[in-house]
Amino acid sequence: MPIAARIRQPVQVNAIALKAYARIVDAWALSLKEAAALADMSESTWKRARKPDFTGELTKDQLLRLSAVIGIYKSLELYFSEPLARGWFSRPNTGPLFGGLRPVDTAIEGGLPQILAIRTYLDALRGGA
């Protein structure tokens, strides 16, 4: 029995990722500068990308960043109560990856490797590893 798979076009994938990311940015109350830097975009590009009619292309790096941030958000929502989950990314953290800095600042400074490390860290916490 053949299974039909729905293949999403890159424009659809971009739109879905950007919509989810915009919601996370709002939930975390990130500034325009923070949101743009975390996604590896200029502030002007992020302003355009937030709009539903955005037709620009995202790089593979940008898509991976957005995907990892969505994973971070999901882990926080599963692991913590809402107030802590919403504020965790923007609060100073003494955990081993952060050195007293805010996770958002380390993610921006460290780029994709740090974003992925944060996601792995939270997944390990959630999984008990």
Side-chain angles (χ1 to χ4, degrees), residues 93-128:
N93 191 314
T94 58
L97 289 176
F98 314 111
L101 300 174
R102 300 180 319 148
V104 66
D105 294 329
T106 67
I108 291 168
E109 178 70 27
L112 184 56
Q114 178 67 3
I115 295 168
L116 293 172
I118 294 169
R119 178 160 186 199
T120 302
Y121 173 76
L122 289 170
D123 287 345
L125 285 176
R126 194 168 49 91

PDB file of all heavy atoms in Angstrom, residues 93-128:
ATOM      1  N   ASN A  93      22.040  32.942  34.169  1.00  0.00           N
ATOM      2  CA  ASN A  93      22.040  31.519  34.494  1.00  0.00           C
ATOM      3  C   ASN A  93      23.457  31.103  34.881  1.00  0.00           C
ATOM      4  O   ASN A  93      24.403  31.386  34.148  1.00  0.00           O
ATOM      5  CB  ASN A  93      21.556  30.733  33.278  1.00  0.00           C
ATOM      6  CG  ASN A  93      21.271  29.289  33.568  1.00  0.00           C
ATOM      7  OD1 ASN A  93      22.048  28.607  34.214  1.00  0.00           O
ATOM      8  ND2 ASN A  93      20.141  28.814  33.065  1.00  0.00           N
ATOM      9  N   THR A  94      23.585  30.438  36.009  1.00  0.00           N
ATOM     10  CA  THR A  94      24.903  29.994  36.472  1.00  0.00           C
ATOM     11  C   THR A  94      25.228  28.580  36.008  1.00  0.00           C
ATOM     12  O   THR A  94      26.234  28.016  36.414  1.00  0.00           O
ATOM     13  CB  THR A  94      24.988  30.056  38.007  1.00  0.00           C
ATOM     14  OG1 THR A  94      23.952  29.235  38.556  1.00  0.00           O
ATOM     15  CG2 THR A  94      24.869  31.486  38.506  1.00  0.00           C
ATOM     16  N   GLY A  95      24.396  28.018  35.140  1.00  0.00           N
ATOM     17  CA  GLY A  95      24.653  26.681  34.608  1.00  0.00           C
ATOM     18  C   GLY A  95      25.967  26.628  33.842  1.00  0.00           C
ATOM     19  O   GLY A  95      26.546  27.660  33.482  1.00  0.00           O
ATOM     20  N   PRO A  96      26.448  25.416  33.577  1.00  0.00           N
ATOM     21  CA  PRO A  96      27.776  25.249  32.965  1.00  0.00           C
ATOM     22  C   PRO A  96      27.930  25.880  31.586  1.00  0.00           C
ATOM     23  O   PRO A  96      29.043  26.241  31.205  1.00  0.00           O
ATOM     24  CB  PRO A  96      27.934  23.727  32.886  1.00  0.00           C
ATOM     25  CG  PRO A  96      26.559  23.175  33.007  1.00  0.00           C
ATOM     26  CD  PRO A  96      25.776  24.149  33.818  1.00  0.00           C
ATOM     27  N   LEU A  97      26.864  26.054  30.854  1.00  0.00           N
ATOM     28  CA  LEU A  97      26.971  26.644  29.515  1.00  0.00           C
ATOM     29  C   LEU A  97      26.940  28.163  29.509  1.00  0.00           C
ATOM     30  O   LEU A  97      27.214  28.788  28.487  1.00  0.00           O
ATOM     31  CB  LEU A  97      25.810  26.162  28.628  1.00  0.00           C
ATOM     32  CG  LEU A  97      25.818  24.721  28.180  1.00  0.00           C
ATOM     33  CD1 LEU A  97      24.541  24.416  27.397  1.00  0.00           C
ATOM     34  CD2 LEU A  97      27.029  24.441  27.321  1.00  0.00           C
ATOM     35  N   PHE A  98      26.576  28.761  30.647  1.00  0.00           N
ATOM     36  CA  PHE A  98      26.230  30.176  30.624  1.00  0.00           C
ATOM     37  C   PHE A  98      27.141  31.084  31.443  1.00  0.00           C
ATOM     38  O   PHE A  98      27.206  32.279  31.170  1.00  0.00           O
ATOM     39  CB  PHE A  98      24.769  30.348  31.062  1.00  0.00           C
ATOM     40  CG  PHE A  98      23.849  29.377  30.379  1.00  0.00           C
ATOM     41  CD1 PHE A  98      23.250  28.351  31.080  1.00  0.00           C
ATOM     42  CD2 PHE A  98      23.618  29.464  29.015  1.00  0.00           C
ATOM     43  CE1 PHE A  98      22.428  27.443  30.453  1.00  0.00           C
ATOM     44  CE2 PHE A  98      22.795  28.555  28.372  1.00  0.00           C
ATOM     45  CZ  PHE A  98      22.191  27.539  29.098  1.00  0.00           C
ATOM     46  N   GLY A  99      27.790  30.582  32.456  1.00  0.00           N
ATOM     47  CA  GLY A  99      28.736  31.381  33.237  1.00  0.00           C
ATOM     48  C   GLY A  99      28.151  32.646  33.827  1.00  0.00           C
ATOM     49  O   GLY A  99      28.820  33.675  33.865  1.00  0.00           O
ATOM     50  N   GLY A 100      26.893  32.594  34.243  1.00  0.00           N
ATOM     51  CA  GLY A 100      26.260  33.758  34.838  1.00  0.00           C
ATOM     52  C   GLY A 100      25.603  34.699  33.846  1.00  0.00           C
ATOM     53  O   GLY A 100      24.971  35.673  34.230  1.00  0.00           O
ATOM     54  N   LEU A 101      25.763  34.425  32.560  1.00  0.00           N
ATOM     55  CA  LEU A 101      25.153  35.256  31.517  1.00  0.00           C
ATOM     56  C   LEU A 101      23.752  34.752  31.183  1.00  0.00           C
ATOM     57  O   LEU A 101      23.361  33.647  31.573  1.00  0.00           O
ATOM     58  CB  LEU A 101      26.021  35.239  30.258  1.00  0.00           C
ATOM     59  CG  LEU A 101      27.443  35.744  30.415  1.00  0.00           C
ATOM     60  CD1 LEU A 101      28.232  35.531  29.126  1.00  0.00           C
ATOM     61  CD2 LEU A 101      27.443  37.212  30.812  1.00  0.00           C
ATOM     62  N   ARG A 102      23.031  35.536  30.429  1.00  0.00           N
ATOM     63  CA  ARG A 102      21.708  35.109  29.974  1.00  0.00           C
ATOM     64  C   ARG A 102      21.879  34.119  28.803  1.00  0.00           C
ATOM     65  O   ARG A 102      22.728  34.343  27.921  1.00  0.00           O
ATOM     66  CB  ARG A 102      20.888  36.302  29.492  1.00  0.00           C
ATOM     67  CG  ARG A 102      20.650  37.356  30.544  1.00  0.00           C
ATOM     68  CD  ARG A 102      19.824  38.540  30.061  1.00  0.00           C
ATOM     69  NE  ARG A 102      20.175  38.965  28.717  1.00  0.00           N
ATOM     70  CZ  ARG A 102      19.316  39.494  27.840  1.00  0.00           C
ATOM     71  NH1 ARG A 102      18.065  39.684  28.163  1.00  0.00           N
ATOM     72  NH2 ARG A 102      19.718  39.857  26.641  1.00  0.00           N
ATOM     73  N   PRO A 103      21.103  33.046  28.786  1.00  0.00           N
ATOM     74  CA  PRO A 103      21.209  32.103  27.666  1.00  0.00           C
ATOM     75  C   PRO A 103      21.070  32.774  26.301  1.00  0.00           C
ATOM     76  O   PRO A 103      21.780  32.405  25.367  1.00  0.00           O
ATOM     77  CB  PRO A 103      20.074  31.108  27.942  1.00  0.00           C
ATOM     78  CG  PRO A 103      19.973  31.095  29.435  1.00  0.00           C
ATOM     79  CD  PRO A 103      20.212  32.531  29.842  1.00  0.00           C
ATOM     80  N   VAL A 104      20.199  33.763  26.182  1.00  0.00           N
ATOM     81  CA  VAL A 104      20.041  34.445  24.890  1.00  0.00           C
ATOM     82  C   VAL A 104      21.348  35.116  24.468  1.00  0.00           C
ATOM     83  O   VAL A 104      21.719  35.076  23.293  1.00  0.00           O
ATOM     84  CB  VAL A 104      18.868  35.457  24.903  1.00  0.00           C
ATOM     85  CG1 VAL A 104      19.111  36.618  25.840  1.00  0.00           C
ATOM     86  CG2 VAL A 104      18.583  35.964  23.488  1.00  0.00           C
ATOM     87  N   ASP A 105      22.064  35.688  25.413  1.00  0.00           N
ATOM     88  CA  ASP A 105      23.326  36.351  25.071  1.00  0.00           C
ATOM     89  C   ASP A 105      24.383  35.331  24.644  1.00  0.00           C
ATOM     90  O   ASP A 105      25.137  35.583  23.699  1.00  0.00           O
ATOM     91  CB  ASP A 105      23.827  37.183  26.255  1.00  0.00           C
ATOM     92  CG  ASP A 105      22.903  38.344  26.570  1.00  0.00           C
ATOM     93  OD1 ASP A 105      22.257  38.876  25.644  1.00  0.00           O
ATOM     94  OD2 ASP A 105      22.812  38.717  27.765  1.00  0.00           O
ATOM     95  N   THR A 106      24.443  34.200  25.339  1.00  0.00           N
ATOM     96  CA  THR A 106      25.427  33.179  24.951  1.00  0.00           C
ATOM     97  C   THR A 106      25.065  32.574  23.598  1.00  0.00           C
ATOM     98  O   THR A 106      25.950  32.238  22.822  1.00  0.00           O
ATOM     99  CB  THR A 106      25.574  32.077  26.017  1.00  0.00           C
ATOM    100  OG1 THR A 106      24.374  31.313  26.108  1.00  0.00           O
ATOM    101  CG2 THR A 106      25.943  32.659  27.373  1.00  0.00           C
ATOM    102  N   ALA A 107      23.759  32.449  23.319  1.00  0.00           N
ATOM    103  CA  ALA A 107      23.323  31.905  22.030  1.00  0.00           C
ATOM    104  C   ALA A 107      23.687  32.844  20.892  1.00  0.00           C
ATOM    105  O   ALA A 107      24.122  32.402  19.822  1.00  0.00           O
ATOM    106  CB  ALA A 107      21.821  31.643  22.063  1.00  0.00           C
ATOM    107  N   ILE A 108      23.502  34.119  21.108  1.00  0.00           N
ATOM    108  CA  ILE A 108      23.853  35.100  20.080  1.00  0.00           C
ATOM    109  C   ILE A 108      25.364  35.122  19.885  1.00  0.00           C
ATOM    110  O   ILE A 108      25.858  35.081  18.752  1.00  0.00           O
ATOM    111  CB  ILE A 108      23.307  36.497  20.446  1.00  0.00           C
ATOM    112  CG1 ILE A 108      21.774  36.505  20.346  1.00  0.00           C
ATOM    113  CG2 ILE A 108      23.918  37.573  19.552  1.00  0.00           C
ATOM    114  CD1 ILE A 108      21.112  37.731  20.959  1.00  0.00           C
ATOM    115  N   GLU A 109      26.109  35.162  20.975  1.00  0.00           N
ATOM    116  CA  GLU A 109      27.578  35.210  20.898  1.00  0.00           C
ATOM    117  C   GLU A 109      28.163  33.930  20.309  1.00  0.00           C
ATOM    118  O   GLU A 109      29.065  33.980  19.476  1.00  0.00           O
ATOM    119  CB  GLU A 109      28.153  35.456  22.295  1.00  0.00           C
ATOM    120  CG  GLU A 109      29.662  35.480  22.363  1.00  0.00           C
ATOM    121  CD  GLU A 109      30.280  36.699  21.699  1.00  0.00           C
ATOM    122  OE1 GLU A 109      29.624  37.743  21.622  1.00  0.00           O
ATOM    123  OE2 GLU A 109      31.442  36.592  21.250  1.00  0.00           O
ATOM    124  N   GLY A 110      27.637  32.782  20.731  1.00  0.00           N
ATOM    125  CA  GLY A 110      28.195  31.494  20.310  1.00  0.00           C
ATOM    126  C   GLY A 110      27.634  30.960  19.007  1.00  0.00           C
ATOM    127  O   GLY A 110      28.125  29.962  18.488  1.00  0.00           O
ATOM    128  N   GLY A 111      26.586  31.592  18.506  1.00  0.00           N
ATOM    129  CA  GLY A 111      26.006  31.180  17.234  1.00  0.00           C
ATOM    130  C   GLY A 111      25.373  29.796  17.283  1.00  0.00           C
ATOM    131  O   GLY A 111      24.981  29.297  18.331  1.00  0.00           O
ATOM    132  N   LEU A 112      25.298  29.192  16.131  1.00  0.00           N
ATOM    133  CA  LEU A 112      24.621  27.908  15.996  1.00  0.00           C
ATOM    134  C   LEU A 112      25.171  26.830  16.933  1.00  0.00           C
ATOM    135  O   LEU A 112      24.385  26.108  17.548  1.00  0.00           O
ATOM    136  CB  LEU A 112      24.652  27.447  14.537  1.00  0.00           C
ATOM    137  CG  LEU A 112      23.899  26.166  14.226  1.00  0.00           C
ATOM    138  CD1 LEU A 112      22.439  26.249  14.663  1.00  0.00           C
ATOM    139  CD2 LEU A 112      23.998  25.847  12.741  1.00  0.00           C
ATOM    140  N   PRO A 113      26.493  26.690  17.099  1.00  0.00           N
ATOM    141  CA  PRO A 113      26.970  25.660  18.031  1.00  0.00           C
ATOM    142  C   PRO A 113      26.433  25.841  19.456  1.00  0.00           C
ATOM    143  O   PRO A 113      26.051  24.864  20.112  1.00  0.00           O
ATOM    144  CB  PRO A 113      28.500  25.809  17.989  1.00  0.00           C
ATOM    145  CG  PRO A 113      28.771  26.408  16.652  1.00  0.00           C
ATOM    146  CD  PRO A 113      27.608  27.337  16.386  1.00  0.00           C
ATOM    147  N   GLN A 114      26.369  27.081  19.929  1.00  0.00           N
ATOM    148  CA  GLN A 114      25.861  27.331  21.277  1.00  0.00           C
ATOM    149  C   GLN A 114      24.350  27.097  21.351  1.00  0.00           C
ATOM    150  O   GLN A 114      23.845  26.560  22.328  1.00  0.00           O
ATOM    151  CB  GLN A 114      26.204  28.744  21.738  1.00  0.00           C
ATOM    152  CG  GLN A 114      25.661  29.108  23.109  1.00  0.00           C
ATOM    153  CD  GLN A 114      26.292  28.339  24.266  1.00  0.00           C
ATOM    154  OE1 GLN A 114      27.204  27.536  24.083  1.00  0.00           O
ATOM    155  NE2 GLN A 114      25.818  28.595  25.457  1.00  0.00           N
ATOM    156  N   ILE A 115      23.629  27.495  20.317  1.00  0.00           N
ATOM    157  CA  ILE A 115      22.184  27.257  20.284  1.00  0.00           C
ATOM    158  C   ILE A 115      21.908  25.758  20.362  1.00  0.00           C
ATOM    159  O   ILE A 115      21.052  25.301  21.124  1.00  0.00           O
ATOM    160  CB  ILE A 115      21.551  27.881  19.019  1.00  0.00           C
ATOM    161  CG1 ILE A 115      21.685  29.409  19.052  1.00  0.00           C
ATOM    162  CG2 ILE A 115      20.080  27.474  18.884  1.00  0.00           C
ATOM    163  CD1 ILE A 115      21.358  30.092  17.734  1.00  0.00           C
ATOM    164  N   LEU A 116      22.650  24.975  19.591  1.00  0.00           N
ATOM    165  CA  LEU A 116      22.477  23.528  19.627  1.00  0.00           C
ATOM    166  C   LEU A 116      22.901  22.942  20.976  1.00  0.00           C
ATOM    167  O   LEU A 116      22.271  22.008  21.469  1.00  0.00           O
ATOM    168  CB  LEU A 116      23.253  22.876  18.489  1.00  0.00           C
ATOM    169  CG  LEU A 116      22.743  23.190  17.075  1.00  0.00           C
ATOM    170  CD1 LEU A 116      23.699  22.645  16.029  1.00  0.00           C
ATOM    171  CD2 LEU A 116      21.334  22.650  16.881  1.00  0.00           C
ATOM    172  N   ALA A 117      23.941  23.512  21.585  1.00  0.00           N
ATOM    173  CA  ALA A 117      24.369  23.048  22.912  1.00  0.00           C
ATOM    174  C   ALA A 117      23.286  23.312  23.959  1.00  0.00           C
ATOM    175  O   ALA A 117      23.035  22.476  24.832  1.00  0.00           O
ATOM    176  CB  ALA A 117      25.686  23.720  23.313  1.00  0.00           C
ATOM    177  N   ILE A 118      22.629  24.457  23.865  1.00  0.00           N
ATOM    178  CA  ILE A 118      21.547  24.780  24.793  1.00  0.00           C
ATOM    179  C   ILE A 118      20.394  23.800  24.593  1.00  0.00           C
ATOM    180  O   ILE A 118      19.821  23.289  25.568  1.00  0.00           O
ATOM    181  CB  ILE A 118      21.073  26.239  24.626  1.00  0.00           C
ATOM    182  CG1 ILE A 118      22.179  27.210  25.047  1.00  0.00           C
ATOM    183  CG2 ILE A 118      19.794  26.497  25.422  1.00  0.00           C
ATOM    184  CD1 ILE A 118      21.919  28.665  24.665  1.00  0.00           C
ATOM    185  N   ARG A 119      20.078  23.528  23.364  1.00  0.00           N
ATOM    186  CA  ARG A 119      18.995  22.567  23.108  1.00  0.00           C
ATOM    187  C   ARG A 119      19.345  21.198  23.669  1.00  0.00           C
ATOM    188  O   ARG A 119      18.520  20.552  24.313  1.00  0.00           O
ATOM    189  CB  ARG A 119      18.711  22.476  21.614  1.00  0.00           C
ATOM    190  CG  ARG A 119      17.622  21.453  21.362  1.00  0.00           C
ATOM    191  CD  ARG A 119      16.938  21.579  20.084  1.00  0.00           C
ATOM    192  NE  ARG A 119      15.834  20.619  20.090  1.00  0.00           N
ATOM    193  CZ  ARG A 119      15.247  20.199  19.013  1.00  0.00           C
ATOM    194  NH1 ARG A 119      15.601  20.663  17.849  1.00  0.00           N
ATOM    195  NH2 ARG A 119      14.269  19.332  19.082  1.00  0.00           N
ATOM    196  N   THR A 120      20.557  20.744  23.461  1.00  0.00           N
ATOM    197  CA  THR A 120      20.995  19.449  23.984  1.00  0.00           C
ATOM    198  C   THR A 120      20.968  19.446  25.504  1.00  0.00           C
ATOM    199  O   THR A 120      20.525  18.477  26.138  1.00  0.00           O
ATOM    200  CB  THR A 120      22.416  19.125  23.462  1.00  0.00           C
ATOM    201  OG1 THR A 120      22.382  19.119  22.039  1.00  0.00           O
ATOM    202  CG2 THR A 120      22.903  17.794  23.975  1.00  0.00           C
ATOM    203  N   TYR A 121      21.403  20.522  26.120  1.00  0.00           N
ATOM    204  CA  TYR A 121      21.402  20.685  27.575  1.00  0.00           C
ATOM    205  C   TYR A 121      19.985  20.548  28.124  1.00  0.00           C
ATOM    206  O   TYR A 121      19.746  19.806  29.086  1.00  0.00           O
ATOM    207  CB  TYR A 121      22.005  22.053  27.902  1.00  0.00           C
ATOM    208  CG  TYR A 121      21.951  22.480  29.342  1.00  0.00           C
ATOM    209  CD1 TYR A 121      22.815  21.955  30.292  1.00  0.00           C
ATOM    210  CD2 TYR A 121      21.053  23.474  29.750  1.00  0.00           C
ATOM    211  CE1 TYR A 121      22.779  22.383  31.613  1.00  0.00           C
ATOM    212  CE2 TYR A 121      21.008  23.913  31.073  1.00  0.00           C
ATOM    213  CZ  TYR A 121      21.874  23.351  32.000  1.00  0.00           C
ATOM    214  OH  TYR A 121      21.837  23.783  33.302  1.00  0.00           O
ATOM    215  N   LEU A 122      19.049  21.235  27.513  1.00  0.00           N
ATOM    216  CA  LEU A 122      17.671  21.177  27.992  1.00  0.00           C
ATOM    217  C   LEU A 122      17.039  19.816  27.733  1.00  0.00           C
ATOM    218  O   LEU A 122      16.291  19.308  28.575  1.00  0.00           O
ATOM    219  CB  LEU A 122      16.826  22.281  27.336  1.00  0.00           C
ATOM    220  CG  LEU A 122      17.147  23.679  27.809  1.00  0.00           C
ATOM    221  CD1 LEU A 122      16.451  24.713  26.941  1.00  0.00           C
ATOM    222  CD2 LEU A 122      16.782  23.866  29.277  1.00  0.00           C
ATOM    223  N   ASP A 123      17.350  19.214  26.605  1.00  0.00           N
ATOM    224  CA  ASP A 123      16.826  17.884  26.334  1.00  0.00           C
ATOM    225  C   ASP A 123      17.364  16.868  27.340  1.00  0.00           C
ATOM    226  O   ASP A 123      16.635  15.984  27.788  1.00  0.00           O
ATOM    227  CB  ASP A 123      17.177  17.432  24.908  1.00  0.00           C
ATOM    228  CG  ASP A 123      16.356  18.155  23.852  1.00  0.00           C
ATOM    229  OD1 ASP A 123      15.340  18.784  24.195  1.00  0.00           O
ATOM    230  OD2 ASP A 123      16.740  18.086  22.660  1.00  0.00           O
ATOM    231  N   ALA A 124      18.629  17.044  27.752  1.00  0.00           N
ATOM    232  CA  ALA A 124      19.197  16.151  28.770  1.00  0.00           C
ATOM    233  C   ALA A 124      18.521  16.363  30.122  1.00  0.00           C
ATOM    234  O   ALA A 124      18.242  15.401  30.836  1.00  0.00           O
ATOM    235  CB  ALA A 124      20.710  16.386  28.878  1.00  0.00           C
ATOM    236  N   LEU A 125      18.258  17.612  30.472  1.00  0.00           N
ATOM    237  CA  LEU A 125      17.552  17.888  31.723  1.00  0.00           C
ATOM    238  C   LEU A 125      16.158  17.262  31.724  1.00  0.00           C
ATOM    239  O   LEU A 125      15.726  16.659  32.702  1.00  0.00           O
ATOM    240  CB  LEU A 125      17.403  19.403  31.943  1.00  0.00           C
ATOM    241  CG  LEU A 125      18.627  20.180  32.381  1.00  0.00           C
ATOM    242  CD1 LEU A 125      18.293  21.669  32.454  1.00  0.00           C
ATOM    243  CD2 LEU A 125      19.136  19.689  33.716  1.00  0.00           C
ATOM    244  N   ARG A 126      15.503  17.423  30.607  1.00  0.00           N
ATOM    245  CA  ARG A 126      14.136  16.900  30.484  1.00  0.00           C
ATOM    246  C   ARG A 126      14.121  15.385  30.500  1.00  0.00           C
ATOM    247  O   ARG A 126      13.251  14.766  31.076  1.00  0.00           O
ATOM    248  CB  ARG A 126      13.509  17.419  29.191  1.00  0.00           C
ATOM    249  CG  ARG A 126      12.033  17.237  29.117  1.00  0.00           C
ATOM    250  CD  ARG A 126      11.436  18.022  27.972  1.00  0.00           C
ATOM    251  NE  ARG A 126      12.107  17.839  26.704  1.00  0.00           N
ATOM    252  CZ  ARG A 126      11.777  16.916  25.807  1.00  0.00           C
ATOM    253  NH1 ARG A 126      10.809  16.077  26.048  1.00  0.00           N
ATOM    254  NH2 ARG A 126      12.432  16.855  24.675  1.00  0.00           N
ATOM    255  N   GLY A 127      15.157  14.775  29.904  1.00  0.00           N
ATOM    256  CA  GLY A 127      15.216  13.328  29.832  1.00  0.00           C
ATOM    257  C   GLY A 127      15.872  12.686  31.040  1.00  0.00           C
ATOM    258  O   GLY A 127      15.938  11.469  31.143  1.00  0.00           O
ATOM    259  N   GLY A 128      16.380  13.514  31.954  1.00  0.00           N
ATOM    260  CA  GLY A 128      16.995  12.982  33.157  1.00  0.00           C
ATOM    261  C   GLY A 128      18.422  12.533  32.987  1.00  0.00           C
ATOM    262  O   GLY A 128      18.982  11.869  33.841  1.00  0.00           O
TER     263      GLY A 128
END
